[in-house]
Each structure stands twice: as structure tokens, then as C-alpha cells.
Amino acid sequence: MPRVTIGVPVYNAARYLPVALDALRVQDHPDFEIVISDNASTDETWDICQRYAVADPRIRLWRNERNLGGHANFGKVVELASGELFKWAAYDDICRPGFVSACVAALDAAGPRAVLAYPKTVLIDEDGVEVGAYADKLDLRDQRAWKRLSGLANNISLCHAHFGVFRIEALRRTGLIRPFLSSDYTLMAEVAAIGEIHEVPERLFLRRVHGASTRQAGNSAAAATTWFAPEGGGKSARSPRANMLRQTVRVLRGHPGGLTNSAAFLGTWFARRARVRLGALRRRLSGKPMPALTESGA
């Protein structure tokens, strides 16, 4: 069995998939497999997957008979994984060669208390041109779960840490990606409740920002939610932020220290929202522009 499984859930991914797979195949970690689950794509995605599987015996393929939704496909690659460590990889992002080995080294150095390690992020555009560094700020090493959850609520924005390397035993104790908008926030809260999250200082993750991404394309919350769950998923698009918070609190109550952890997460979340609104009001009154997403503009 390989030590690390890289799970690649795909749907109509032909434009960027070869670049993503090329980057995964040259990872310098010596012991990994790549598991691809195709969600009944209607473009050339499945042909690309088959060509890569013929060329590289480390690649295993699965194809759903119909589109089960993005959340189910993310879960499928976890189900198929055989490694003790696991990483999700999106079809349109790029991992630099040291990504997996650096995260595995961080988990090995920390021991069982760390359940997820992820590297720093660089944003790129649809052509692969660097937009700028992005500060995830989710290095959550406190031994107290409520402190980790407070740190998560205070900093999470664009969610990249869940593309890091997990201990699969811990990941399988969560609900993974769920069929509602921003369920990656809920997943990260569950992970923070279970154990520490470590940030690797090297910038090894290139996150692609492009118009075909569900929310980046300016699509409605209902359309984005339908990506997660095509059959009736749009119902949860009403008040998506409030729904995410409700779901997160419900999930946290199922873990040890649930009430304390939920209070820490919610208290910090609403305090942060108040600061954001106050800052936006001050910028409007002063005529200053909104800050950019990259570190240089923060």
C-alpha cells in the first residue's frame, strides 16, 4: 500500500486536468498513488484520465454512472484511498514538486497531535500567471480545541488548507465535504476540533482563480450549491452563510467539548464580522479602496 493517496475528483475538467496531473506525477515523495473519480463528465475528461492511467501505474480510476454532485465525488476518492495519509487535489490547481513531501514531513515531525498539514498559497490566473501570495493564517497548533476553533473563525476566508495532507483516520471521522455552500468551512472546523493544523512555510500550492470556478464566475448561491448536490441542493442556498454556521455548530456538538468549541467558533466569527463591517464603513467614509486578496494588498 502507498503511504499517501492523492484523490482527484473531476467533472468536465478537460481544460486544466493534464497540467494538474503532470504536477502530481512529479511529486518528489517516493510513495504515493493517485485516485481519480470522474463524476460522469460529458467532455474529454474521461479520455484524459484513461491516457494518464495507461502511462502511470500509480493512477487508479473510478467513474460514477451519473453526476452525484461535487460533495459525493470528493467523498468517493476518500472511500477509494488506501494510504494512511490523504490529499485532495483539484483539477485546476497546481502543486509544486515538494508539496506532498513537505506536508508529510510536517506531520511526521509533529506526531499524532497534528491531523493536517498544508503549505502556503500563491494565487494564479486562468493562464497560470501568478497573481500574488495569499495568507491563509490557519496554523493552529494550540493543544486546546476551542483555541484552534477560535483561530479558524478569525482567519478563514479563501479555503485552501483542506487541499493539504490529512491523516486519513482523522479525516474519515468527519463528514467530509457536505452538500451545501461553504461546507469546506464546516469540514475545517471539524478537523480543528479533532487535532492541530500545521502550516508549511514554503509556497507550494498554486490555486487557480478563473471564471469557470463556481463562485469566482459570479454565479448565484443556488447555482453554486447545485454543483455540490445537483438533485435538490439549491434548497440550502437560502441564507448560505447562516446555513453554514448552523451546520457547523451542529457538527461541533458531536465532538468532545462541543458546547465550548461551538461558543468559541461563533463568538469569534461574529466579532470578526463586526470588525469587517466597521472597517468597510471606515473605508467608505475615507474613500479608501477595499484591500486585495493577496498579501501585498492586505
Side-chain angles (χ1 to χ4, degrees):
M1 291 184 184
R3 189 170 187 212
V4 182
T5 296
I6 302 173
V8 188
V10 295
Y11 174 70
N12 288 354
R15 178 177 180 185
Y16 295 118
L17 182 58
V19 175
L21 291 178
D22 287 342
L24 294 176
R25 292 176 66 197
V26 299
Q27 289 296 302
D28 59 17
H29 191 274
D31 190 15
F32 68 91
E33 66 173 353
I34 300 172
V35 175
I36 306 173
S37 177
D38 177 40
N39 216 359
S41 293
T42 58
D43 65 358
E44 298 82 18
T45 294
W46 184 240
D47 292 335
I48 294 170
C49 293
Q50 291 178 304
R51 290 201 301 270
Y52 272 82
V54 168
D56 194 328
R58 298 172 298 178
I59 297 177
R60 292 194 286 123
L61 301 182
W62 175 272
R63 194 179 197 200
N64 298 318
E65 293 183 357
R66 60 185 177 86
N67 184 352
L68 303 176
H71 82 287
N73 211 28
F74 268 70
K76 191 64 183 180
V77 290
V78 177
E79 176 189 333
L80 295 170
S82 58
E84 65 174 290
L85 304 176
F86 177 85
K87 168 186 164 43
W88 275 306
Y91 81 96
D92 49 357
D93 296 328
I94 299 174
C95 299
R96 286 175 169 157
F99 186 120
V100 172
S101 59
C103 291
V104 171
L107 290 174
D108 287 345
R113 71 178 189 274
V115 297
L116 168 62
Y118 74 94
K120 289 188 173 182
T121 300
V122 175
L123 303 180
I124 60 175
D125 68 12
E126 60 183 9
D127 298 315
V129 177
E130 291 191 11
V131 176
Y134 180 82
D136 293 286
K137 298 181 181 179
L138 296 180
D139 191 61
L140 307 173
R141 305 189 185 208
D142 199 286
Q143 294 184 3
R144 296 161 294 181
W146 71 268
K147 287 286 288 185
R148 297 194 298 269
L149 282 155
S150 179
L152 179 79
N154 196 47
N155 291 298
I156 192 168
S157 185
L158 294 182
C159 195
H160 303 137
H162 69 296
F163 287 113
V165 176
F166 293 88
R167 298 193 190 278
I168 201 165
E169 178 274 332
L171 180 60
R172 284 174 172 162
R173 288 161 58 190
T174 73
L176 306 178
I177 300 296
R178 294 172 169 85
F180 60 85
L181 202 60
S182 298
S183 64
D184 47 0
Y185 281 34
T186 303
L187 168 63
M188 288 303 300
E190 266 194 292
V191 173
I194 293 171
E196 295 179 12
I197 300 171
H198 287 215
E199 183 179 81
V200 174
E202 292 83 13
R203 300 196 182 280
L204 302 173
F205 181 56
L206 306 183
R207 190 267 177 95
R208 194 183 302 272
V209 180
H210 62 99
S213 295
T214 306
R215 292 297 279 167
Q216 294 159 15
N219 293 336
S220 68
T225 307
T226 299
W227 176 89
F228 287 94
E231 298 178 0
K235 294 178 181 178
S236 65
R238 304 184 187 95
S239 303
R241 182 174 294 162
N243 180 61
M244 180 275 294
L245 291 174
R246 285 193 299 270
Q247 298 281 0
T248 301
V249 169
R250 180 185 61 80
V251 164
L252 289 177
R253 287 179 177 171
H255 290 270
L259 289 176
T260 300
N261 293 342
S262 299
F265 182 85
L266 282 180
T268 306
W269 177 275
F270 286 116
R272 177 188 178 189
R273 295 304 303 169
R275 292 197 305 270
V276 168
R277 291 191 183 98
L278 180 59
L281 176 61
R282 287 174 174 169
R283 281 189 291 272
R284 284 198 298 270
L285 294 176
S286 65
K288 293 181 180 179
M290 290 290 290
L293 287 174
T294 56
E295 284 185 352
S296 60

